[in-house]
Amino acid sequence: MKMKKAAFALLLALLGLMACSSIDGTDDVLARYDKDGYRYSPTYMRGTVHYLKNMKPEYVKVMRLDEKLYPVDSIEAPVEKNYDGEYTFKVDDRDYEFPFVKIVPVFPLDKNEKMEFAQYVRLRESNIEIRLNLPEAVMSGRIETLVREKGLEFDSAMTQAIKEMQFAYNLVSNVGTNYSTVWNDVFDKRLDVYEYMRSEANLNGLLMYIYCRHEVSDSVFYSTFKEYREGFAKNGVADSALMAKSADAWLSTFVVYDDDNGKTQYRSFSRDSVVNVGAFDENFFKHTYGVSFKLTRTRSYENEFFELDNKYSSLKGRTFIYDEGLNYWRLQTLLDDSIGVCLYSKDSIAVSNGIYYRCRYGSAVWNVESNRDTILNKMYGYCKGHSISSGESGYLSDSLFVCECDSSNICDWTDKYIDSMFKKGDKLYASALNAKAVKLFGRCSKELNGEVRQIDSVSVSCSFYYDAYRSSWKLVESDEE
């Protein structure tokens, strides 16, 4: 039995190394076999350039290689579009000394440059379903390092590089106790977005395009691709600083807005929006920033905040907010950072640089507000048909308005007191003082209860009551007028 196995192994070795015949008086290669006894050459190849649909390849280069993956020669294969809209290529029967090739789809970059994404392909008995893709192009440099510097055989190098890629770029999400764990495989062939709970997105095969900042431009995309490829080639890991840079770039394309139906959205808008890359992918940002979006609240209607603390991110110090009413995470806008977060359940007015903004209930977006009565009503209380409203004061910019009611209890804000000066003891003194305090410090609230603040030469204290009409900033009686 041992002799038979040894003879078979010897036969395979002879076939793999020689595999020749002189049928017509010349040496034509008939067949080559790999170490497992499978015929891999000569072979016909056919494949798909599986990149984004708006990336049109010009042609494909196919390189024969030596044992250390250095090119021996190269041919160009044309690219055609099939009925499914996919770009395909084919190469007629050729002989390959080793059971692997380097295939390079070539794309236009600008007038004088091209984008090339080299990929190594293991030749087998049938080679008609080759799929050229971005993740394996990023991985190609690592295979070279493992073969040339670490001394691994091609198959072992490919296996190790795949595992390292999955560890470096895969995302794992446990989406809840009632749901199974979701894996996002870096080698996923689906170039689409699968959206699921809370408007999150599963990027599938689009993951590497986000890492490579394709949403920015072709030149940024190609240069970032080369950075990732070179960095991964060295040690089989993804560079943390580069990952944070990629996350920053994608996050900068997100916008909080109200759609045509009045529903607040948080979506990305870029040139990749055409392939529906828009929904916030919590897992991607967990992975790139090294943060947790896990909710820790113990009761309903409680919002969660956390500050981004990634030393490589240009957004370090910015805040993420989980809005219970919207049921998803988002980055606070710069306006949120400046005047307070606009939440779905909030209805309030805020001012910044002399401009008034309103956060409407059910919106979660700050919008410019110019209606005088709306601003005064939301900031100081509604001027309406209740005796308690009469005499209430409010400031709009530097102008004082007072709510007055007539004998029929019809109330309205009036500006007839704009130039008036009130002293302690005057009927409108307390109201005007409260209005100035609200303008400076915000309405007296539960959080501010007991706080003492200075206004000009007097001090005021927040006296909070659950009856909103009774809550106000009041003069600290020890002060003189």
Side-chain angles (χ1 to χ4, degrees):
M1 181 64 72
K2 290 182 179 179
M3 292 181 63
K4 288 183 178 180
K5 286 185 177 179
F8 179 68
L10 178 61
L11 176 61
L12 290 180
L14 291 172
L15 290 171
L17 294 172
M18 300 175 62
C20 298
S21 175
S22 300
I23 297 175
D24 57 359
T26 61
D27 288 339
D28 294 324
V29 175
L30 295 181
R32 294 184 189 272
Y33 295 82
D34 64 18
K35 62 182 180 180
D36 298 316
Y38 295 108
R39 179 184 181 277
Y40 68 86
S41 177
T43 189
Y44 166 80
M45 286 191 293
R46 186 177 71 213
T48 305
V49 182
H50 200 70
Y51 282 66
L52 293 180
K53 289 183 178 179
N54 55 354
M55 292 180 64
K56 182 179 180 180
E58 294 183 343
Y59 58 91
V60 169
K61 291 192 292 186
V62 181
M63 301 179 185
R64 286 193 285 206
L65 309 169
D66 66 14
E67 194 172 13
K68 291 295 184 181
L69 305 182
Y70 291 106
V72 174
D73 60 21
S74 174
I75 63 169
E76 292 182 4
V79 172
E80 296 180 350
K81 202 170 187 178
N82 65 16
Y83 291 109
D84 295 325
E86 297 176 316
Y87 295 105
T88 63
F89 68 95
K90 59 184 179 180
V91 180
D92 292 334
D93 276 353
R94 296 186 79 213
D95 174 49
Y96 300 91
E97 184 178 356
F98 298 98
F100 38 79
V101 292
K102 187 177 186 178
I103 305 181
V104 186
V106 180
F107 299 84
L109 179 56
D110 55 35
K111 186 176 273 188
N112 300 314
E113 294 185 78
K114 307 292 183 185
M115 294 188 292
E116 298 188 359
F117 300 93
Q119 177 176 335
Y120 289 100
V121 174
R122 171 63 155 91
L123 295 178
R124 305 188 182 281
E125 288 187 300
S126 176
N127 299 287
I128 62 173
E129 294 183 354
I130 296 171
R131 297 175 76 94
L132 305 181
N133 58 83
L134 184 59
E136 293 196 52
V138 172
M139 187 179 73
S140 61
R142 183 59 179 165
I143 295 174
E144 293 170 358
T145 299
L146 293 173
V147 170
R148 295 170 184 170
E149 299 179 17
K150 305 299 182 181
L152 271 65
E153 293 184 350
F154 180 83
D155 287 349
S156 298
M158 175 73 81
T159 299
Q160 180 171 326
I162 289 173
K163 288 181 179 179
E164 291 172 339
M165 275 287 288
Q166 289 175 326
F167 183 80
Y169 295 103
N170 257 9
L171 305 174
V172 184
S173 171
N174 189 339
V175 297
T177 55
N178 296 324
Y179 296 83
S180 61
T181 299
V182 174
W183 289 83
N184 188 348
D185 193 334
V186 71
F187 296 109
D188 196 324
K189 297 180 174 63
R190 296 171 296 169
L191 293 178
D192 56 11
V193 177
Y194 171 60
E195 295 185 22
Y196 56 109
M197 293 181 62
R198 300 198 305 270
S199 298
E200 298 168 9
N202 189 332
L203 292 174
N204 302 316
L206 297 168
L207 179 64
M208 283 309 308
Y209 293 93
I210 300 299
Y211 276 113
C212 293
R213 299 191 289 169
H214 184 270
E215 72 273 8
V216 180
S217 68
D218 281 348
S219 58
V220 169
F221 168 55
Y222 191 47
S223 64
T224 308
F225 156 75
K226 289 189 286 187
E227 285 186 85
Y228 273 114
R229 183 184 182 278
E230 292 166 7
F232 186 72
K234 293 177 182 178
N235 50 25
V237 299
D239 181 79
S240 298
L242 191 55
M243 291 172 76
K245 192 174 182 179
S246 297
D248 287 352
W250 193 34
L251 198 55
S252 70
T253 67
F254 279 81
V255 177
V256 186
Y257 71 101
D258 287 340
D259 63 19
D260 293 339
N261 297 318
K263 183 178 180 181
T264 302
Q265 304 281 356
Y266 185 56
R267 295 190 67 83
S268 166
F269 289 94
S270 72
R271 66 182 192 149
D272 287 338
S273 298
V274 294
V275 288
N276 202 32
V277 181
F280 187 80
D281 189 321
E282 290 180 11
N283 295 320
F284 171 80
F285 291 109
K286 283 180 184 178
H287 194 68
T288 50
Y289 286 138
V291 300
S292 174
F293 287 89
K294 182 179 180 181
L295 297 177
T296 58
R297 64 188 192 283
T298 57
R299 62 182 185 276
S300 299
Y301 306 109
E302 181 180 338
N303 298 295
E304 290 287 330
F305 302 81
F306 75 82
E307 185 178 297
L308 180 59
D309 187 23
N310 182 299
K311 65 181 180 180
Y312 300 115
S313 173
S314 63
L315 299 172
K316 179 179 169 60
R318 294 287 302 280
T319 302
F320 282 90
I321 166 69
Y322 180 84
D323 191 331
E324 175 72 31
L326 294 177
N327 205 29
Y328 57 70
W329 286 96
R330 67 173 175 86
L331 182 70
Q332 289 183 186
T333 66
L334 291 174
L335 195 56
D336 285 327
D337 294 343
S338 174
I339 62 178
V341 184
C342 181
L343 298 171
Y344 185 85
S345 58
K346 193 173 181 180
D347 193 350
S348 61
I349 294 286
V351 62
S352 177
N353 297 321
I355 300 174
Y356 288 89
Y357 297 89
R358 183 179 181 186
C359 174
R360 294 178 180 273
Y361 178 81
S363 169
V365 178
W366 288 109
N367 289 301
V368 174
E369 181 60 68
S370 58
N371 184 278
R372 184 197 73 176
D373 287 356
T374 298
I375 295 171
L376 291 168
N377 287 335
K378 297 305 299 179
M379 288 188 70
Y380 300 98
Y382 282 90
C383 181
K384 55 187 177 181
H386 296 283
S387 58
I388 194 69
S389 299
S390 184
E392 289 297 311
S393 302
Y395 275 92
L396 188 62
S397 296
D398 292 325
S399 300
L400 180 69
F401 292 82
V402 177
C403 177
E404 285 195 333
C405 304
D406 61 19
S407 58
S408 301
N409 211 23
I410 297 175
C411 308
D412 199 6
W413 291 100
T414 177
D415 59 0
K416 68 181 183 182
Y417 298 102
I418 282 180
D419 297 322
S420 299
M421 297 292 293
F422 300 106
K423 297 180 180 180
K424 186 176 180 181
D426 290 343
K427 181 179 179 181
L428 292 176
Y429 177 77
S431 175
L433 186 62
N434 175 66
K436 183 172 284 190
V438 171
K439 175 188 173 185
L440 295 173
F441 315 124
R443 297 190 71 171
C444 178
S445 62
K446 181 180 179 181
E447 291 73 25
L448 293 173
N449 187 37
E451 290 283 329
V452 176
R453 303 290 171 85
Q454 191 76 19
I455 300 179
D456 298 328
S457 61
V458 300
S459 300
V460 292
S461 174
C462 170
S463 297
F464 173 77
Y465 298 90
Y466 284 97
D467 180 351
Y469 288 111
R470 298 176 61 197
S471 297
S472 66
W473 293 95
K474 298 182 184 298
L475 176 70
V476 176
E477 291 299 332
S478 61
D479 286 313
E480 300 295 332
E481 61 178 79

